[in-house]
Every structure is written in C-alpha cells, then in structure tokens.
Amino acid sequence: MHLSTHTWMRPEPLDSMLKRVSSLGYTSIELAGEPGRYSITETKALLEKYNISCWGSVTIMYGSRDLAAADPAQREATVGYMKSVVDLSVGLGGKIVTVVPCTVGKLHPTASPQEEWKWVVQGVREVALYAAERGIRIALEPLNRFETYLITNISQVMQLIEEANVSNLGVAFDPFHMNIEEPDLIAALRRCGDKLFDFHLGDNNRLSPGDGNLDWPLIIQTLRDIGYKGGLAHEAMPPIDRTPRNGFGAKQLEAEPWDVDEGTLQFLKDHASGVLNEGYYTHLLTRTAETILPLISTS
C-alpha cells in the first residue's frame, strides 16, 4: 500500500499541489477527472519533477453528469465524459478510475427505480469495457444517503458489479461514507475482498484520519488481511465552521472572491465546503500522513 491523495479538494496549480504532497511523504495522486484541464505532456513532466506517480483519476460528478438521468442524451454525454477520464488516467500511467455513477447532491429520482437501475448498469458496463481495453480498472464508489439516493452501500455496489459483469469492475471504499451507511464498517470492508480496487482516506467526520473516531490500525490491518496493495487516497473535506469561533470561516477558507470556475465551485459547495486556504489544507494533508504512514511502513 502507498499514500496517495485526491486533488479536487483545493483548486490550485498542479505544481503547487505536487510540491506540497511530495514533501509530506505522498507518492501518488488520484487526479480530478477534468481532462480539459490537464495536458498529458505537461502533467507527466510535473509528476516526474516531484517523483509522484498517477494512481488514477476520479469522475467529478456535477452539473449534467449522471448515468441515471432520464434524458438519453445526458446519459450518453456522461458515458463519453467517463471515457475521457479513462483516457486521462491511461495517458498518465494510471491504474484505476473511480466512478461515482450519479450526480453528487442529486437526492431525488427522475424515473422509476427499474429504469434508473437499467441505465446505470448499461452505462457502467460500457465504461468498464472501454477501460478494460486500455488496461484500467474501474472502482465504483458508493456515497452516503445525503449525497446520493442510488448506490449507497457495499451490497448495492456489489450487485451493480455483478449485473454489469465486466471483470475490471470493483469497489472504491470510502470509510467516511460507509461509516454512515454500514452497520459494521470492518465487515463491509472484508466483503469487498479482491474486488477492492481503491481506498479513500477520511475519518467519520470527514476530517483527516486520526481526527475522528475510526480505528485506523484496525482498518489498515483489515486491508492487509484482504490483500489490498493499492493506493490510500487522502480525501478529507471538512465542513466549514461559519460561526464567530472560527472567524466566520476565515480560519479555513481563502478570502473571497474565489477565482474558481462555476462547476468546481458548485462541487465544493455540494460537499458543504469551499475553497480551503493553503495553511488549513496543508494541515489536513499533514495529519493524514502522520496517521497513515506509520501504519503502512511495513506493508
């Protein structure tokens, strides 16, 4: 296992991100799935500069991106978007793409359960077959009930994997989400077995590991027990304290106005957050490294 990090939580130049994480002991990134934002040639040069590898990429599901959309053109465009994220991962030497099937923050269905399930199975299968031809594994991520109404636990995602029936489909396990939805977090992790393709790092409160109440030594030992050898991707995204005790958010956030595109900003807001300031963001990454690196040093 190795320490990785997502990049979507703070919009900033990739050079700044890689410089920071390399100094803290991270060895890879799970790149935000925005292919139009990253030149393959320039990104590979930056990765080499900081001796960081690309573990993979993750779909950024905002706006019209939704495999369960009632509009067939919208579903087709979503599949096309996901394929472009696969191409991004391939171009950077990645191993996986984490796929969230539906729009983050969409909490109400727009069609019957039977129709939505059929569309998601079809879309996931098409993306997985495309990825398989390019040597990429697809890790499907269940989210908690407050971020999606479809695919919220391990039993559901395993059913989706079974019905899509493509060998390169597996699970992206985020203990923040599954601590909400699963009665036994460790049992749920064990159920993934060799279908665990990616693992995200966030505590029960979505702070960094060690700043909540999850049992990280037990989690890491369970990952060893089931034979997981991939990336552990930092994804702490804390809510913003907007009360006077936190300077009305000033201790966590960059001063406004924020120079961020509308889609990215909406995605951050959909996570009850905003543009984290550099000091606070570095603190989160540091806490994750302090907690996780000693636990995986012998793996």
Side-chain angles (χ1 to χ4, degrees):
M1 290 180 283
H2 69 274
L3 188 59
S4 184
T5 182
H6 287 269
T7 65
W8 64 264
M9 295 88 71
R10 175 178 155 83
E12 65 179 347
L14 189 58
D15 190 290
S16 301
M17 161 71 68
L18 295 176
K19 181 178 181 180
R20 180 186 300 109
V21 300
S22 66
S23 72
L24 295 173
Y26 291 76
T27 57
S28 82
I29 57 169
E30 190 167 331
L31 192 64
E34 296 291 2
R37 189 179 299 168
Y38 301 105
S39 156
I40 296 295
T41 301
E42 293 175 4
T43 302
K44 287 177 74 173
L46 285 174
L47 291 169
E48 291 173 5
K49 175 181 177 181
Y50 292 105
N51 195 28
I52 295 286
S53 65
C54 177
W55 166 235
S57 189
V58 57
T59 59
I60 304 298
M61 301 299 288
Y62 63 77
S64 62
R65 296 168 180 172
D66 184 6
L67 290 179
D71 180 359
Q74 188 178 342
R75 297 197 303 272
E76 182 179 359
T78 301
V79 168
Y81 160 69
M82 290 177 173
K83 288 179 178 179
S84 73
V85 177
V86 170
D87 291 337
L88 177 65
S89 187
V90 170
L92 297 174
K95 306 298 183 186
I96 60 100
V97 167
T98 294
V99 167
V100 174
C102 304
T103 309
V104 174
K106 178 188 174 187
L107 299 179
H108 303 287
T110 54
S112 72
Q114 293 84 356
E115 288 174 314
E116 290 190 322
W117 182 258
K118 179 183 70 174
W119 296 333
V120 169
V121 170
Q122 290 173 342
V124 164
R125 180 185 294 120
E126 184 174 345
V127 173
L129 288 170
Y130 183 86
E133 293 174 351
R134 291 155 179 80
I136 294 292
R137 300 200 294 177
I138 298 296
L140 299 171
E141 182 179 9
L143 306 182
N144 73 75
R145 72 192 73 181
F146 306 110
E147 295 185 34
T148 187
Y149 62 93
L150 192 62
I151 317 299
T152 60
N153 60 47
I154 297 304
S155 295
Q156 292 170 355
V157 77
M158 295 298 275
Q159 181 73 26
L160 177 54
I161 290 166
E162 179 181 344
E163 293 196 25
N165 193 28
V166 186
S167 62
N168 66 325
L169 279 171
V171 179
F173 193 106
D174 188 321
F176 162 70
H177 294 299
M178 294 303 94
N179 181 67
I180 295 171
E181 299 299 336
E182 292 285 352
D184 186 330
L185 183 71
I186 298 302
L189 183 54
R190 290 189 182 279
R191 280 208 310 277
C192 296
D194 62 3
K195 279 296 184 181
L196 181 65
F197 287 178
D198 191 24
F199 190 87
H200 297 170
L201 295 172
D203 221 305
N204 69 293
N205 48 12
R206 212 162 199 180
L207 293 176
S208 298
D211 286 343
N213 63 21
L214 295 185
D215 187 340
W216 289 97
L218 178 58
I219 289 171
I220 297 300
Q221 184 57 53
T222 303
L223 289 169
R224 285 199 183 96
D225 292 344
I226 64 175
Y228 182 70
K229 300 184 185 300
L232 306 175
H234 166 90
E235 201 180 22
M237 194 60 183
I240 303 305
D241 182 351
R242 301 180 185 275
T243 69
R245 67 179 293 276
N246 192 48
F248 299 100
K251 293 181 181 179
Q252 294 171 286
L253 295 174
E254 291 281 9
E256 297 190 54
W258 297 325
D259 184 18
V260 182
D261 68 90
E262 184 177 344
T264 297
L265 182 57
Q266 186 59 52
F267 194 68
L268 295 172
K269 289 181 176 179
D270 286 344
H271 286 80
S273 195
V275 180
L276 303 179
N277 67 48
E278 184 174 4
Y280 183 59
Y281 187 60
T282 301
H283 165 75
L284 293 171
L285 285 159
T286 301
R287 287 291 295 130
T288 292
E290 290 172 344
T291 300
I292 300 300
L293 283 175
L295 298 175
I296 64 173
S297 59
T298 58
S299 64

